[in-house]
Amino acid sequence: MTTTPPPPLTLPAPVGALLSRLPAYPGSMLLVTAINFALAKQLPQDVKDILRAQRLAIRVRDARVAFDFSWNGQRFVPCKPQAETDLAISANAQDFLLLAQRRQDPDTLFFNRRLVMEGDTELGLVVKNALDALELPVLDPREWTPRAVLGRLAPGLAGGAREAVRR
């Protein structure tokens, strides 16, 4: 992990203006699907208990989009856009990508004012510490090809897909 973040890049303003016109709920649905797939099963029970019914938001500043969601006790679920959240995490798209790729740590981005947490400080620390403790795969585009995803979801099915492609 690098200690100095790369210079910040932002999406061009016209792209952000276009993205801000998209409806929020489908994006929140996509985000919670990914979060549930990648980490929900790994969360310790004490973290799940703390997250229950908390209103959370991920805000991508340069894209001018926000993803609202909460933990229902079993999984993360999308919510309608909310003016008030218990915890909102904001950054530019590039910084979220760097975090997902584990090329940057959240503390460095936070102290460089590129990552902002608003709301319940204790909840923010619980979320940060829980994510730091999890074994998360680095966001590598090769891991998200249809064949790789299929292989993780149903190993036997992936082999069958390979056979079908060979025929």
PDB file of all heavy atoms in Angstrom, residues 39-75:
ATOM      1  N   LEU A  39     -18.785  -8.997   1.233  1.00  0.00           N
ATOM      2  CA  LEU A  39     -18.365  -8.960   2.627  1.00  0.00           C
ATOM      3  C   LEU A  39     -19.420  -9.219   3.691  1.00  0.00           C
ATOM      4  O   LEU A  39     -19.060  -9.436   4.840  1.00  0.00           O
ATOM      5  CB  LEU A  39     -17.678  -7.627   2.929  1.00  0.00           C
ATOM      6  CG  LEU A  39     -18.472  -6.348   2.827  1.00  0.00           C
ATOM      7  CD1 LEU A  39     -19.038  -5.943   4.171  1.00  0.00           C
ATOM      8  CD2 LEU A  39     -17.553  -5.259   2.327  1.00  0.00           C
ATOM      9  N   ALA A  40     -20.680  -9.217   3.366  1.00  0.00           N
ATOM     10  CA  ALA A  40     -21.704  -9.332   4.417  1.00  0.00           C
ATOM     11  C   ALA A  40     -21.532 -10.598   5.255  1.00  0.00           C
ATOM     12  O   ALA A  40     -21.702 -10.561   6.481  1.00  0.00           O
ATOM     13  CB  ALA A  40     -23.103  -9.271   3.812  1.00  0.00           C
ATOM     14  N   LYS A  41     -21.183 -11.709   4.633  1.00  0.00           N
ATOM     15  CA  LYS A  41     -21.031 -12.967   5.375  1.00  0.00           C
ATOM     16  C   LYS A  41     -19.821 -12.942   6.307  1.00  0.00           C
ATOM     17  O   LYS A  41     -19.764 -13.707   7.262  1.00  0.00           O
ATOM     18  CB  LYS A  41     -20.907 -14.141   4.406  1.00  0.00           C
ATOM     19  CG  LYS A  41     -22.176 -14.391   3.624  1.00  0.00           C
ATOM     20  CD  LYS A  41     -21.984 -15.502   2.623  1.00  0.00           C
ATOM     21  CE  LYS A  41     -23.217 -15.633   1.749  1.00  0.00           C
ATOM     22  NZ  LYS A  41     -23.008 -16.547   0.638  1.00  0.00           N
ATOM     23  N   GLN A  42     -18.864 -12.081   6.031  1.00  0.00           N
ATOM     24  CA  GLN A  42     -17.646 -12.024   6.833  1.00  0.00           C
ATOM     25  C   GLN A  42     -17.761 -11.109   8.060  1.00  0.00           C
ATOM     26  O   GLN A  42     -16.895 -11.139   8.923  1.00  0.00           O
ATOM     27  CB  GLN A  42     -16.477 -11.512   5.991  1.00  0.00           C
ATOM     28  CG  GLN A  42     -16.099 -12.405   4.832  1.00  0.00           C
ATOM     29  CD  GLN A  42     -14.881 -11.836   4.139  1.00  0.00           C
ATOM     30  OE1 GLN A  42     -13.832 -11.665   4.741  1.00  0.00           O
ATOM     31  NE2 GLN A  42     -15.031 -11.526   2.861  1.00  0.00           N
ATOM     32  N   LEU A  43     -18.805 -10.287   8.118  1.00  0.00           N
ATOM     33  CA  LEU A  43     -18.917  -9.341   9.227  1.00  0.00           C
ATOM     34  C   LEU A  43     -19.147 -10.074  10.544  1.00  0.00           C
ATOM     35  O   LEU A  43     -20.004 -10.957  10.627  1.00  0.00           O
ATOM     36  CB  LEU A  43     -20.079  -8.370   8.992  1.00  0.00           C
ATOM     37  CG  LEU A  43     -19.900  -7.339   7.895  1.00  0.00           C
ATOM     38  CD1 LEU A  43     -21.185  -6.540   7.719  1.00  0.00           C
ATOM     39  CD2 LEU A  43     -18.742  -6.410   8.205  1.00  0.00           C
ATOM     40  N   PRO A  44     -18.403  -9.712  11.579  1.00  0.00           N
ATOM     41  CA  PRO A  44     -18.631 -10.323  12.893  1.00  0.00           C
ATOM     42  C   PRO A  44     -20.011  -9.936  13.438  1.00  0.00           C
ATOM     43  O   PRO A  44     -20.555  -8.877  13.094  1.00  0.00           O
ATOM     44  CB  PRO A  44     -17.522  -9.724  13.770  1.00  0.00           C
ATOM     45  CG  PRO A  44     -16.581  -9.034  12.858  1.00  0.00           C
ATOM     46  CD  PRO A  44     -17.294  -8.781  11.565  1.00  0.00           C
ATOM     47  N   GLN A  45     -20.571 -10.793  14.276  1.00  0.00           N
ATOM     48  CA  GLN A  45     -21.917 -10.561  14.797  1.00  0.00           C
ATOM     49  C   GLN A  45     -22.024  -9.241  15.550  1.00  0.00           C
ATOM     50  O   GLN A  45     -23.024  -8.539  15.435  1.00  0.00           O
ATOM     51  CB  GLN A  45     -22.362 -11.729  15.700  1.00  0.00           C
ATOM     52  CG  GLN A  45     -23.815 -11.646  16.106  1.00  0.00           C
ATOM     53  CD  GLN A  45     -24.768 -11.632  14.911  1.00  0.00           C
ATOM     54  OE1 GLN A  45     -24.639 -12.431  13.993  1.00  0.00           O
ATOM     55  NE2 GLN A  45     -25.720 -10.708  14.909  1.00  0.00           N
ATOM     56  N   ASP A  46     -20.991  -8.855  16.307  1.00  0.00           N
ATOM     57  CA  ASP A  46     -21.076  -7.593  17.059  1.00  0.00           C
ATOM     58  C   ASP A  46     -21.185  -6.392  16.110  1.00  0.00           C
ATOM     59  O   ASP A  46     -21.898  -5.427  16.397  1.00  0.00           O
ATOM     60  CB  ASP A  46     -19.912  -7.434  18.036  1.00  0.00           C
ATOM     61  CG  ASP A  46     -18.548  -7.375  17.352  1.00  0.00           C
ATOM     62  OD1 ASP A  46     -18.375  -8.019  16.294  1.00  0.00           O
ATOM     63  OD2 ASP A  46     -17.650  -6.702  17.886  1.00  0.00           O
ATOM     64  N   VAL A  47     -20.522  -6.462  14.964  1.00  0.00           N
ATOM     65  CA  VAL A  47     -20.624  -5.384  13.980  1.00  0.00           C
ATOM     66  C   VAL A  47     -22.016  -5.387  13.365  1.00  0.00           C
ATOM     67  O   VAL A  47     -22.628  -4.329  13.201  1.00  0.00           O
ATOM     68  CB  VAL A  47     -19.529  -5.521  12.892  1.00  0.00           C
ATOM     69  CG1 VAL A  47     -19.737  -4.520  11.768  1.00  0.00           C
ATOM     70  CG2 VAL A  47     -18.148  -5.361  13.511  1.00  0.00           C
ATOM     71  N   LYS A  48     -22.537  -6.562  13.056  1.00  0.00           N
ATOM     72  CA  LYS A  48     -23.900  -6.653  12.512  1.00  0.00           C
ATOM     73  C   LYS A  48     -24.910  -6.059  13.488  1.00  0.00           C
ATOM     74  O   LYS A  48     -25.839  -5.357  13.077  1.00  0.00           O
ATOM     75  CB  LYS A  48     -24.259  -8.108  12.215  1.00  0.00           C
ATOM     76  CG  LYS A  48     -23.483  -8.698  11.063  1.00  0.00           C
ATOM     77  CD  LYS A  48     -23.827 -10.167  10.882  1.00  0.00           C
ATOM     78  CE  LYS A  48     -23.033 -10.798   9.762  1.00  0.00           C
ATOM     79  NZ  LYS A  48     -23.353 -12.226   9.605  1.00  0.00           N
ATOM     80  N   ASP A  49     -24.725  -6.321  14.769  1.00  0.00           N
ATOM     81  CA  ASP A  49     -25.640  -5.780  15.784  1.00  0.00           C
ATOM     82  C   ASP A  49     -25.582  -4.249  15.826  1.00  0.00           C
ATOM     83  O   ASP A  49     -26.605  -3.587  15.953  1.00  0.00           O
ATOM     84  CB  ASP A  49     -25.314  -6.352  17.164  1.00  0.00           C
ATOM     85  CG  ASP A  49     -25.592  -7.841  17.263  1.00  0.00           C
ATOM     86  OD1 ASP A  49     -26.363  -8.379  16.431  1.00  0.00           O
ATOM     87  OD2 ASP A  49     -25.026  -8.486  18.179  1.00  0.00           O
ATOM     88  N   ILE A  50     -24.377  -3.692  15.713  1.00  0.00           N
ATOM     89  CA  ILE A  50     -24.209  -2.233  15.730  1.00  0.00           C
ATOM     90  C   ILE A  50     -24.812  -1.598  14.476  1.00  0.00           C
ATOM     91  O   ILE A  50     -25.416  -0.532  14.532  1.00  0.00           O
ATOM     92  CB  ILE A  50     -22.716  -1.861  15.879  1.00  0.00           C
ATOM     93  CG1 ILE A  50     -22.222  -2.263  17.273  1.00  0.00           C
ATOM     94  CG2 ILE A  50     -22.479  -0.381  15.622  1.00  0.00           C
ATOM     95  CD1 ILE A  50     -20.723  -2.194  17.454  1.00  0.00           C
ATOM     96  N   LEU A  51     -24.678  -2.279  13.335  1.00  0.00           N
ATOM     97  CA  LEU A  51     -25.163  -1.734  12.064  1.00  0.00           C
ATOM     98  C   LEU A  51     -26.681  -1.809  11.913  1.00  0.00           C
ATOM     99  O   LEU A  51     -27.252  -1.066  11.118  1.00  0.00           O
ATOM    100  CB  LEU A  51     -24.530  -2.485  10.889  1.00  0.00           C
ATOM    101  CG  LEU A  51     -23.069  -2.197  10.611  1.00  0.00           C
ATOM    102  CD1 LEU A  51     -22.566  -3.115   9.502  1.00  0.00           C
ATOM    103  CD2 LEU A  51     -22.867  -0.743  10.233  1.00  0.00           C
ATOM    104  N   ARG A  52     -27.325  -2.659  12.689  1.00  0.00           N
ATOM    105  CA  ARG A  52     -28.767  -2.890  12.507  1.00  0.00           C
ATOM    106  C   ARG A  52     -29.546  -1.577  12.544  1.00  0.00           C
ATOM    107  O   ARG A  52     -29.454  -0.800  13.482  1.00  0.00           O
ATOM    108  CB  ARG A  52     -29.287  -3.843  13.557  1.00  0.00           C
ATOM    109  CG  ARG A  52     -30.701  -4.274  13.268  1.00  0.00           C
ATOM    110  CD  ARG A  52     -31.148  -5.358  14.228  1.00  0.00           C
ATOM    111  NE  ARG A  52     -32.473  -5.781  13.892  1.00  0.00           N
ATOM    112  CZ  ARG A  52     -32.757  -6.812  13.125  1.00  0.00           C
ATOM    113  NH1 ARG A  52     -31.782  -7.527  12.626  1.00  0.00           N
ATOM    114  NH2 ARG A  52     -33.995  -7.124  12.857  1.00  0.00           N
ATOM    115  N   ALA A  53     -30.286  -1.336  11.470  1.00  0.00           N
ATOM    116  CA  ALA A  53     -31.171  -0.176  11.306  1.00  0.00           C
ATOM    117  C   ALA A  53     -30.438   1.161  11.220  1.00  0.00           C
ATOM    118  O   ALA A  53     -31.072   2.208  11.262  1.00  0.00           O
ATOM    119  CB  ALA A  53     -32.225  -0.141  12.409  1.00  0.00           C
ATOM    120  N   GLN A  54     -29.129   1.142  11.061  1.00  0.00           N
ATOM    121  CA  GLN A  54     -28.386   2.392  10.872  1.00  0.00           C
ATOM    122  C   GLN A  54     -28.539   2.826   9.413  1.00  0.00           C
ATOM    123  O   GLN A  54     -28.463   2.009   8.500  1.00  0.00           O
ATOM    124  CB  GLN A  54     -26.897   2.209  11.197  1.00  0.00           C
ATOM    125  CG  GLN A  54     -26.622   1.811  12.622  1.00  0.00           C
ATOM    126  CD  GLN A  54     -26.919   2.926  13.600  1.00  0.00           C
ATOM    127  OE1 GLN A  54     -26.722   4.098  13.305  1.00  0.00           O
ATOM    128  NE2 GLN A  54     -27.417   2.561  14.768  1.00  0.00           N
ATOM    129  N   ARG A  55     -28.748   4.091   9.214  1.00  0.00           N
ATOM    130  CA  ARG A  55     -28.860   4.646   7.858  1.00  0.00           C
ATOM    131  C   ARG A  55     -27.465   5.035   7.382  1.00  0.00           C
ATOM    132  O   ARG A  55     -26.811   5.872   8.006  1.00  0.00           O
ATOM    133  CB  ARG A  55     -29.789   5.846   7.861  1.00  0.00           C
ATOM    134  CG  ARG A  55     -31.215   5.496   8.297  1.00  0.00           C
ATOM    135  CD  ARG A  55     -31.982   6.730   8.597  1.00  0.00           C
ATOM    136  NE  ARG A  55     -31.182   7.521   9.566  1.00  0.00           N
ATOM    137  CZ  ARG A  55     -31.604   8.606  10.175  1.00  0.00           C
ATOM    138  NH1 ARG A  55     -32.789   9.074   9.946  1.00  0.00           N
ATOM    139  NH2 ARG A  55     -30.836   9.251  11.034  1.00  0.00           N
ATOM    140  N   LEU A  56     -27.028   4.430   6.294  1.00  0.00           N
ATOM    141  CA  LEU A  56     -25.681   4.633   5.772  1.00  0.00           C
ATOM    142  C   LEU A  56     -25.760   5.211   4.363  1.00  0.00           C
ATOM    143  O   LEU A  56     -26.728   4.973   3.642  1.00  0.00           O
ATOM    144  CB  LEU A  56     -24.923   3.303   5.737  1.00  0.00           C
ATOM    145  CG  LEU A  56     -24.907   2.510   7.048  1.00  0.00           C
ATOM    146  CD1 LEU A  56     -24.397   1.102   6.805  1.00  0.00           C
ATOM    147  CD2 LEU A  56     -24.076   3.218   8.086  1.00  0.00           C
ATOM    148  N   ALA A  57     -24.723   5.947   3.992  1.00  0.00           N
ATOM    149  CA  ALA A  57     -24.659   6.493   2.630  1.00  0.00           C
ATOM    150  C   ALA A  57     -23.216   6.525   2.156  1.00  0.00           C
ATOM    151  O   ALA A  57     -22.305   6.828   2.923  1.00  0.00           O
ATOM    152  CB  ALA A  57     -25.254   7.892   2.579  1.00  0.00           C
ATOM    153  N   ILE A  58     -23.046   6.184   0.896  1.00  0.00           N
ATOM    154  CA  ILE A  58     -21.777   6.359   0.199  1.00  0.00           C
ATOM    155  C   ILE A  58     -22.041   7.467  -0.808  1.00  0.00           C
ATOM    156  O   ILE A  58     -22.950   7.362  -1.644  1.00  0.00           O
ATOM    157  CB  ILE A  58     -21.337   5.069  -0.536  1.00  0.00           C
ATOM    158  CG1 ILE A  58     -21.143   3.909   0.436  1.00  0.00           C
ATOM    159  CG2 ILE A  58     -20.098   5.333  -1.394  1.00  0.00           C
ATOM    160  CD1 ILE A  58     -19.957   4.058   1.355  1.00  0.00           C
ATOM    161  N   ARG A  59     -21.261   8.526  -0.739  1.00  0.00           N
ATOM    162  CA  ARG A  59     -21.439   9.663  -1.649  1.00  0.00           C
ATOM    163  C   ARG A  59     -20.196   9.828  -2.511  1.00  0.00           C
ATOM    164  O   ARG A  59     -19.101  10.008  -1.989  1.00  0.00           O
ATOM    165  CB  ARG A  59     -21.702  10.931  -0.850  1.00  0.00           C
ATOM    166  CG  ARG A  59     -22.991  10.845  -0.059  1.00  0.00           C
ATOM    167  CD  ARG A  59     -23.282  12.102   0.699  1.00  0.00           C
ATOM    168  NE  ARG A  59     -24.542  11.974   1.417  1.00  0.00           N
ATOM    169  CZ  ARG A  59     -24.749  12.445   2.629  1.00  0.00           C
ATOM    170  NH1 ARG A  59     -23.798  13.103   3.263  1.00  0.00           N
ATOM    171  NH2 ARG A  59     -25.925  12.274   3.205  1.00  0.00           N
ATOM    172  N   VAL A  60     -20.406   9.762  -3.802  1.00  0.00           N
ATOM    173  CA  VAL A  60     -19.306   9.939  -4.755  1.00  0.00           C
ATOM    174  C   VAL A  60     -19.403  11.378  -5.234  1.00  0.00           C
ATOM    175  O   VAL A  60     -20.252  11.725  -6.059  1.00  0.00           O
ATOM    176  CB  VAL A  60     -19.401   8.931  -5.923  1.00  0.00           C
ATOM    177  CG1 VAL A  60     -18.157   9.043  -6.809  1.00  0.00           C
ATOM    178  CG2 VAL A  60     -19.567   7.512  -5.394  1.00  0.00           C
ATOM    179  N   ARG A  61     -18.535  12.220  -4.657  1.00  0.00           N
ATOM    180  CA  ARG A  61     -18.657  13.668  -4.852  1.00  0.00           C
ATOM    181  C   ARG A  61     -18.573  14.088  -6.307  1.00  0.00           C
ATOM    182  O   ARG A  61     -19.425  14.830  -6.790  1.00  0.00           O
ATOM    183  CB  ARG A  61     -17.600  14.402  -4.026  1.00  0.00           C
ATOM    184  CG  ARG A  61     -17.867  14.390  -2.546  1.00  0.00           C
ATOM    185  CD  ARG A  61     -16.922  15.316  -1.816  1.00  0.00           C
ATOM    186  NE  ARG A  61     -15.530  14.971  -2.025  1.00  0.00           N
ATOM    187  CZ  ARG A  61     -14.762  14.386  -1.110  1.00  0.00           C
ATOM    188  NH1 ARG A  61     -15.245  14.098   0.074  1.00  0.00           N
ATOM    189  NH2 ARG A  61     -13.512  14.120  -1.379  1.00  0.00           N
ATOM    190  N   ASP A  62     -17.537  13.643  -7.024  1.00  0.00           N
ATOM    191  CA  ASP A  62     -17.359  14.131  -8.388  1.00  0.00           C
ATOM    192  C   ASP A  62     -18.411  13.572  -9.345  1.00  0.00           C
ATOM    193  O   ASP A  62     -18.737  14.201 -10.342  1.00  0.00           O
ATOM    194  CB  ASP A  62     -15.943  13.888  -8.909  1.00  0.00           C
ATOM    195  CG  ASP A  62     -15.502  12.437  -8.863  1.00  0.00           C
ATOM    196  OD1 ASP A  62     -16.166  11.622  -8.175  1.00  0.00           O
ATOM    197  OD2 ASP A  62     -14.480  12.106  -9.494  1.00  0.00           O
ATOM    198  N   ALA A  63     -18.961  12.409  -9.033  1.00  0.00           N
ATOM    199  CA  ALA A  63     -20.024  11.846  -9.870  1.00  0.00           C
ATOM    200  C   ALA A  63     -21.393  12.392  -9.471  1.00  0.00           C
ATOM    201  O   ALA A  63     -22.365  12.189 -10.191  1.00  0.00           O
ATOM    202  CB  ALA A  63     -20.032  10.326  -9.764  1.00  0.00           C
ATOM    203  N   ARG A  64     -21.442  13.064  -8.330  1.00  0.00           N
ATOM    204  CA  ARG A  64     -22.673  13.659  -7.814  1.00  0.00           C
ATOM    205  C   ARG A  64     -23.779  12.616  -7.646  1.00  0.00           C
ATOM    206  O   ARG A  64     -24.934  12.839  -7.981  1.00  0.00           O
ATOM    207  CB  ARG A  64     -23.113  14.819  -8.707  1.00  0.00           C
ATOM    208  CG  ARG A  64     -22.090  15.952  -8.651  1.00  0.00           C
ATOM    209  CD  ARG A  64     -22.278  17.060  -9.641  1.00  0.00           C
ATOM    210  NE  ARG A  64     -23.648  17.507  -9.830  1.00  0.00           N
ATOM    211  CZ  ARG A  64     -24.009  18.373 -10.760  1.00  0.00           C
ATOM    212  NH1 ARG A  64     -23.112  18.877 -11.581  1.00  0.00           N
ATOM    213  NH2 ARG A  64     -25.267  18.736 -10.881  1.00  0.00           N
ATOM    214  N   VAL A  65     -23.364  11.433  -7.125  1.00  0.00           N
ATOM    215  CA  VAL A  65     -24.328  10.372  -6.833  1.00  0.00           C
ATOM    216  C   VAL A  65     -24.141   9.928  -5.385  1.00  0.00           C
ATOM    217  O   VAL A  65     -23.054  10.059  -4.811  1.00  0.00           O
ATOM    218  CB  VAL A  65     -24.184   9.162  -7.785  1.00  0.00           C
ATOM    219  CG1 VAL A  65     -24.514   9.543  -9.214  1.00  0.00           C
ATOM    220  CG2 VAL A  65     -22.799   8.546  -7.706  1.00  0.00           C
ATOM    221  N   ALA A  66     -25.223   9.407  -4.827  1.00  0.00           N
ATOM    222  CA  ALA A  66     -25.192   8.882  -3.460  1.00  0.00           C
ATOM    223  C   ALA A  66     -25.924   7.549  -3.444  1.00  0.00           C
ATOM    224  O   ALA A  66     -26.894   7.345  -4.190  1.00  0.00           O
ATOM    225  CB  ALA A  66     -25.840   9.856  -2.490  1.00  0.00           C
ATOM    226  N   PHE A  67     -25.445   6.652  -2.618  1.00  0.00           N
ATOM    227  CA  PHE A  67     -26.034   5.333  -2.467  1.00  0.00           C
ATOM    228  C   PHE A  67     -26.441   5.181  -1.002  1.00  0.00           C
ATOM    229  O   PHE A  67     -25.589   5.173  -0.117  1.00  0.00           O
ATOM    230  CB  PHE A  67     -25.033   4.253  -2.863  1.00  0.00           C
ATOM    231  CG  PHE A  67     -24.469   4.455  -4.249  1.00  0.00           C
ATOM    232  CD1 PHE A  67     -23.190   4.951  -4.419  1.00  0.00           C
ATOM    233  CD2 PHE A  67     -25.226   4.171  -5.371  1.00  0.00           C
ATOM    234  CE1 PHE A  67     -22.663   5.148  -5.687  1.00  0.00           C
ATOM    235  CE2 PHE A  67     -24.708   4.374  -6.643  1.00  0.00           C
ATOM    236  CZ  PHE A  67     -23.429   4.857  -6.808  1.00  0.00           C
ATOM    237  N   ASP A  68     -27.727   5.083  -0.760  1.00  0.00           N
ATOM    238  CA  ASP A  68     -28.258   4.971   0.597  1.00  0.00           C
ATOM    239  C   ASP A  68     -28.656   3.525   0.872  1.00  0.00           C
ATOM    240  O   ASP A  68     -29.279   2.877   0.017  1.00  0.00           O
ATOM    241  CB  ASP A  68     -29.474   5.887   0.752  1.00  0.00           C
ATOM    242  CG  ASP A  68     -29.096   7.344   0.625  1.00  0.00           C
ATOM    243  OD1 ASP A  68     -29.077   7.862  -0.511  1.00  0.00           O
ATOM    244  OD2 ASP A  68     -28.805   7.953   1.656  1.00  0.00           O
ATOM    245  N   PHE A  69     -28.305   3.041   2.075  1.00  0.00           N
ATOM    246  CA  PHE A  69     -28.602   1.664   2.419  1.00  0.00           C
ATOM    247  C   PHE A  69     -28.560   1.477   3.925  1.00  0.00           C
ATOM    248  O   PHE A  69     -28.164   2.378   4.667  1.00  0.00           O
ATOM    249  CB  PHE A  69     -27.626   0.710   1.718  1.00  0.00           C
ATOM    250  CG  PHE A  69     -26.174   0.968   2.028  1.00  0.00           C
ATOM    251  CD1 PHE A  69     -25.485   0.197   2.951  1.00  0.00           C
ATOM    252  CD2 PHE A  69     -25.478   1.985   1.383  1.00  0.00           C
ATOM    253  CE1 PHE A  69     -24.146   0.436   3.222  1.00  0.00           C
ATOM    254  CE2 PHE A  69     -24.141   2.229   1.649  1.00  0.00           C
ATOM    255  CZ  PHE A  69     -23.472   1.447   2.581  1.00  0.00           C
ATOM    256  N   SER A  70     -28.995   0.308   4.368  1.00  0.00           N
ATOM    257  CA  SER A  70     -28.942  -0.027   5.798  1.00  0.00           C
ATOM    258  C   SER A  70     -28.776  -1.537   5.933  1.00  0.00           C
ATOM    259  O   SER A  70     -28.869  -2.275   4.954  1.00  0.00           O
ATOM    260  CB  SER A  70     -30.207   0.463   6.517  1.00  0.00           C
ATOM    261  OG  SER A  70     -31.334  -0.231   6.051  1.00  0.00           O
ATOM    262  N   TRP A  71     -28.527  -1.987   7.165  1.00  0.00           N
ATOM    263  CA  TRP A  71     -28.396  -3.406   7.489  1.00  0.00           C
ATOM    264  C   TRP A  71     -29.689  -3.828   8.164  1.00  0.00           C
ATOM    265  O   TRP A  71     -30.100  -3.237   9.159  1.00  0.00           O
ATOM    266  CB  TRP A  71     -27.193  -3.612   8.408  1.00  0.00           C
ATOM    267  CG  TRP A  71     -27.017  -5.021   8.861  1.00  0.00           C
ATOM    268  CD1 TRP A  71     -27.363  -5.545  10.072  1.00  0.00           C
ATOM    269  CD2 TRP A  71     -26.452  -6.098   8.119  1.00  0.00           C
ATOM    270  NE1 TRP A  71     -27.050  -6.873  10.114  1.00  0.00           N
ATOM    271  CE2 TRP A  71     -26.491  -7.240   8.929  1.00  0.00           C
ATOM    272  CE3 TRP A  71     -25.921  -6.204   6.829  1.00  0.00           C
ATOM    273  CZ2 TRP A  71     -26.013  -8.482   8.503  1.00  0.00           C
ATOM    274  CZ3 TRP A  71     -25.446  -7.439   6.422  1.00  0.00           C
ATOM    275  CH2 TRP A  71     -25.489  -8.561   7.240  1.00  0.00           C
ATOM    276  N   ASN A  72     -30.351  -4.855   7.633  1.00  0.00           N
ATOM    277  CA  ASN A  72     -31.635  -5.271   8.204  1.00  0.00           C
ATOM    278  C   ASN A  72     -31.515  -6.435   9.185  1.00  0.00           C
ATOM    279  O   ASN A  72     -32.521  -7.008   9.595  1.00  0.00           O
ATOM    280  CB  ASN A  72     -32.641  -5.605   7.095  1.00  0.00           C
ATOM    281  CG  ASN A  72     -32.308  -6.891   6.363  1.00  0.00           C
ATOM    282  OD1 ASN A  72     -31.351  -7.593   6.665  1.00  0.00           O
ATOM    283  ND2 ASN A  72     -33.118  -7.198   5.366  1.00  0.00           N
ATOM    284  N   GLY A  73     -30.304  -6.790   9.531  1.00  0.00           N
ATOM    285  CA  GLY A  73     -30.073  -7.921  10.426  1.00  0.00           C
ATOM    286  C   GLY A  73     -29.610  -9.159   9.685  1.00  0.00           C
ATOM    287  O   GLY A  73     -28.990 -10.036  10.272  1.00  0.00           O
ATOM    288  N   GLN A  74     -29.900  -9.223   8.388  1.00  0.00           N
ATOM    289  CA  GLN A  74     -29.504 -10.360   7.552  1.00  0.00           C
ATOM    290  C   GLN A  74     -28.585  -9.951   6.401  1.00  0.00           C
ATOM    291  O   GLN A  74     -27.729 -10.703   5.985  1.00  0.00           O
ATOM    292  CB  GLN A  74     -30.748 -11.035   6.959  1.00  0.00           C
ATOM    293  CG  GLN A  74     -31.725 -11.532   8.000  1.00  0.00           C
ATOM    294  CD  GLN A  74     -31.139 -12.639   8.848  1.00  0.00           C
ATOM    295  OE1 GLN A  74     -30.492 -13.537   8.340  1.00  0.00           O
ATOM    296  NE2 GLN A  74     -31.351 -12.558  10.153  1.00  0.00           N
ATOM    297  N   ARG A  75     -28.841  -8.751   5.883  1.00  0.00           N
ATOM    298  CA  ARG A  75     -28.075  -8.287   4.727  1.00  0.00           C
ATOM    299  C   ARG A  75     -28.247  -6.764   4.600  1.00  0.00           C
ATOM    300  O   ARG A  75     -29.105  -6.175   5.247  1.00  0.00           O
ATOM    301  CB  ARG A  75     -28.536  -8.978   3.446  1.00  0.00           C
ATOM    302  CG  ARG A  75     -29.955  -8.644   3.051  1.00  0.00           C
ATOM    303  CD  ARG A  75     -30.405  -9.458   1.849  1.00  0.00           C
ATOM    304  NE  ARG A  75     -31.678  -9.040   1.362  1.00  0.00           N
ATOM    305  CZ  ARG A  75     -32.848  -9.351   1.904  1.00  0.00           C
ATOM    306  NH1 ARG A  75     -32.897 -10.089   2.982  1.00  0.00           N
ATOM    307  NH2 ARG A  75     -33.975  -8.921   1.380  1.00  0.00           N
TER     308      ARG A  75
END
